[in-house]
Amino acid sequence: GISIVLTINIISRIPQDLTLLFEQFVKGKEIAFQVLNLAIIIAIIIIVTVLTVALQGAERRIPVQYSRKVQGRKQVGGQTSHIPLKVIPIIFAQSLFMFPLIIMQLLGKSGGNGIGGTILKMLNQSNWCDFNEPIYSIGLIVYIALVIAFAYFYTSITFNPVEVSERLKERGSFIPGHRPGKQTAEYLQSVSNSTIVIGAVGLLIVALVPIVFSGLFGADVSFGGTSLIIIVGVIIETIRQIDSKVEQRHLTGIFSK
């Protein structure tokens, strides 16, 4: 319920943001610049949206083979399955940056011009990538570092290669080409690390493209990459839940062929 409320709140601001972009970059310009600016805006929106959808549905599937066992005169087992590794979320770093700003707003303070005010301006995404005040872009570097750090932290608490390896060994299953035990754990760790890097880079592109565009060209809109990730994630998860409920009643689901 909370996710849907957040999604509707973000979607409700999209028309206002699109109107602001149109008035700032298209309205009143020469025809050539109108067409060029409109094409750039549409291209950025489409590329970021497609990349977000791809990342939300992306997962690394590690094949698992179950050993065959003889029961009586029959052989059982030998089936294949997979271990899914999902792309990590980016919301943690965003929330950590927004927390001090929200606290200062509730206290009715802007931070002033001292060290505290400078730090708060570094945490504000609207001040990043501004050539007139490049010092505030330090917050962007910290943001990228936090995204990568939280990616490793989130994966470490949700996916333990040693534990997964031991579970596979107890069930008599294995990953083709890798011995059960330590070798399997090392392989799972390497796959996990590569998935984290690819996922973090992809999500950073989605999150940073609107930020860089806003900082370089002064497009002050509330709709950004993180908001798009929330919208796409909630919509896809809602559709999947509806799909599962529908298919339980032997009906055709939304994602069914």
Side-chain angles (χ1 to χ4, degrees):
I2 296 177
S3 300
I4 294 178
V5 170
L6 289 173
T7 302
I8 297 300
N9 184 35
I10 296 172
I11 292 176
S12 66
R13 298 198 301 265
I14 293 179
Q16 181 180 355
D17 290 338
L18 294 178
T19 301
L20 181 62
L21 289 175
F22 179 81
E23 292 179 350
Q24 186 174 357
F25 296 102
V26 179
K27 187 177 180 180
K29 307 288 184 180
E30 297 181 1
I31 299 297
F33 286 104
Q34 285 184 349
V35 174
L36 178 61
N37 292 344
L38 190 61
I40 293 175
I41 292 173
I42 294 175
I44 291 176
I45 293 175
I46 292 176
I47 291 173
V48 173
T49 303
V50 171
L51 183 57
T52 304
V53 174
L55 287 172
Q56 287 291 335
E59 66 177 16
R60 176 71 181 271
R61 295 186 176 185
I62 303 174
V64 176
Q65 181 75 38
Y66 291 90
S67 301
R68 294 184 179 182
K69 297 180 181 180
V70 178
Q71 292 183 353
R73 296 183 178 180
K74 295 182 179 180
Q75 284 187 345
V76 297
Q79 299 177 347
T80 59
S81 182
H82 66 271
I83 301 173
L85 283 179
K86 295 287 292 182
V87 177
I88 44 80
I90 198 174
I91 311 301
F92 298 111
Q94 179 77 13
S95 302
L96 189 61
F97 265 65
M98 291 298 296
F99 184 73
L101 298 175
I102 294 174
I103 295 298
M104 295 302 294
Q105 289 178 357
L106 292 176
L107 295 177
K109 297 180 180 180
S110 59
N113 297 321
I115 298 177
T118 303
I119 293 176
L120 287 177
K121 289 180 180 179
M122 287 181 182
L123 298 178
N124 194 341
Q125 294 183 2
S126 60
N127 296 323
W128 296 349
C129 301
D130 187 354
F131 289 140
N132 297 324
E133 296 177 313
I135 188 173
Y136 298 140
S137 296
I138 295 176
L140 176 60
I141 300 174
V142 177
Y143 178 73
I144 294 174
L146 282 176
V147 169
I148 298 174
F150 275 117
Y152 280 94
F153 173 74
Y154 177 83
T155 305
S156 66
I157 62 177
T158 57
F159 182 77
N160 189 334
V162 177
E163 183 180 340
V164 173
S165 175
E166 291 299 324
R167 247 193 335 251
L168 292 175
K169 188 176 180 180
E170 291 173 359
R171 296 176 181 177
S173 53
F174 61 95
I175 297 176
H178 301 276
R179 294 180 180 178
K182 182 179 179 180
Q183 190 177 109
T184 297
E186 292 176 349
Y187 171 73
L188 290 174
Q189 186 64 61
S190 65
V191 174
S192 175
N193 291 339
S194 63
T195 304
I196 291 172
V197 172
I198 295 173
V201 170
L203 291 175
L204 278 173
I205 293 174
V206 171
L208 295 183
V209 166
I211 293 174
V212 173
F213 182 81
S214 176
L216 294 179
F217 302 101
D220 188 14
V221 295
S222 59
F223 180 72
T226 307
S227 301
L228 187 60
I229 292 172
I230 295 174
I231 293 174
V232 172
V234 171
I235 291 177
I236 290 179
E237 183 61 28
T238 302
I239 292 176
R240 284 177 177 169
Q241 291 187 18
I242 295 174
D243 231 19
S244 64
K245 296 297 182 182
V246 171
E247 290 178 349
Q248 286 177 4
R249 291 165 174 78
H250 307 288
L251 301 175
T252 303
I254 299 175
F255 284 164
S256 301
K257 294 183 179 180

